[in-house]
Amino acid sequence: MSVFGEFHVPSNAFALHETLNAVSEMVIEIERVVATEEVLTPYFWVSEVNFGTFEDAVAKDPSIRNLEQLDEFQETALYRAEWTRHVESIVYIYTEIEAVVLEATGSNERWELRIRFDDRDELDTFQRYCHERNIAFDLRRLYDLSQPKTGGQYGLTSKQQSALVAAWEAGYFETPREASLEDVAAELDITQQSLSKRLHRAHRSLIANTLIVSASEPSQPT
């Protein structure tokens, strides 16, 4: 059974530390990582920063190369790049144990990651790997799909669950809506872009762990 782990990692023990340190107000959210035998290509959103300032900082950061902007909105932009150094743990996750980083958000203080492992043995292998190499992965939360009446049952992070509950309680899902995205974001003290992405990922997790899981199970007699 799949196991979900939420980890905190000091920014100086992970990728893009020099960039995050140089632009302290910035937030990076990894959308996905494409893995091959030779290179890991992250796609990530950057917000709360001047994009030119961010790109100048990346040019001096040895952990990343070949940065390319793909899309730009009012306060956020999507980039693609390649990991180089200081990403031994991420390389191991993708190439050796084939776990999946579902969500990763970085600031100048730390990275917050949510990783899906196929089972607890895979999780134990990963933790042992980090311990042997002094990689500071701090496990904050662990859950699987069997946990009842919690967001973890559906693969939700605590932030995603809070966003869904706040939006529901505010009437965001009513027709007509009783609250705007801006209203809910203000209540949670986050930007509208962050809330929008958090709700999108929450909906994706709910579908993946309810409708998709159910559809793959043998049909029951009616």
Side-chain angles (χ1 to χ4, degrees):
M1 178 177 293
S2 294
V3 179
F4 298 84
E6 294 182 12
F7 298 86
H8 285 179
V9 188
S11 63
N12 62 3
F14 202 63
L16 285 170
H17 165 62
E18 293 188 21
T19 298
L20 290 165
N21 189 53
V23 193
S24 59
E25 71 275 14
M26 178 179 60
V27 175
I28 297 176
E29 296 180 74
I30 295 179
E31 177 76 13
R32 67 184 186 278
V33 176
V34 177
T36 67
E37 293 182 358
E38 298 180 354
V39 67
L40 291 177
T41 302
Y43 292 72
F44 53 91
W45 295 94
V46 174
S47 58
E48 301 181 25
V49 67
N50 177 278
F51 302 134
T53 302
F54 164 71
E55 292 167 8
D56 289 342
V58 166
K60 302 174 184 177
D61 194 323
S63 70
I64 196 168
R65 67 188 179 193
N66 296 335
L67 181 72
E68 179 183 358
Q69 187 185 97
L70 302 179
D71 287 300
E72 181 177 338
F73 303 94
Q74 290 184 345
E75 300 179 6
T76 185
L78 178 65
Y79 287 89
R80 175 177 60 201
E82 294 178 2
W83 294 134
T84 57
R85 295 166 45 196
H86 308 305
V87 291
E88 293 87 352
S89 53
I90 288 292
V91 171
Y92 184 78
I93 289 171
Y94 278 96
T95 63
E96 298 297 326
I97 62 176
E98 298 183 353
V100 179
V101 178
L102 299 172
E103 188 172 354
T105 302
S107 67
N108 67 319
E109 294 182 355
R110 70 189 182 202
W111 280 87
E112 298 179 9
L113 302 99
R114 186 166 68 101
I115 305 174
R116 185 182 70 222
F117 302 90
D118 285 344
D119 51 42
R120 288 182 180 266
D121 288 340
E122 192 174 87
L123 169 64
D124 291 341
T125 300
F126 172 68
Q127 290 183 294
R128 184 164 56 251
Y129 172 88
C130 292
H131 177 72
E132 292 173 352
R133 289 159 180 79
N134 295 318
I135 300 173
F137 268 70
D138 179 19
L139 179 61
R140 309 291 295 185
R141 184 181 176 212
L142 185 65
Y143 55 92
D144 56 41
L145 297 184
S146 65
Q147 293 180 349
K149 297 182 181 179
T150 67
Q153 181 183 8
Y154 307 108
L156 298 176
T157 66
S158 57
K159 290 181 179 179
Q160 291 169 355
Q161 183 174 349
S162 296
L164 284 173
V165 171
W168 183 84
E169 290 179 342
Y172 177 75
F173 297 114
E174 298 294 332
T175 305
R177 283 180 175 167
E178 299 174 359
S180 66
L181 195 67
E182 181 180 7
D183 295 332
V184 181
E187 180 181 340
L188 294 172
D189 195 25
I190 60 177
T191 66
Q192 292 183 58
Q193 289 81 5
S194 294
L195 175 60
S196 178
K197 286 184 284 185
R198 197 169 293 177
L199 290 175
H200 171 75
R201 289 170 178 162
H203 290 150
R204 185 172 59 186
S205 292
L206 287 173
I207 292 170
N209 292 298
T210 54
L211 299 178
I212 303 303
V213 171
S214 298
S216 65
E217 295 175 348
S219 58
Q220 299 295 325
T222 58

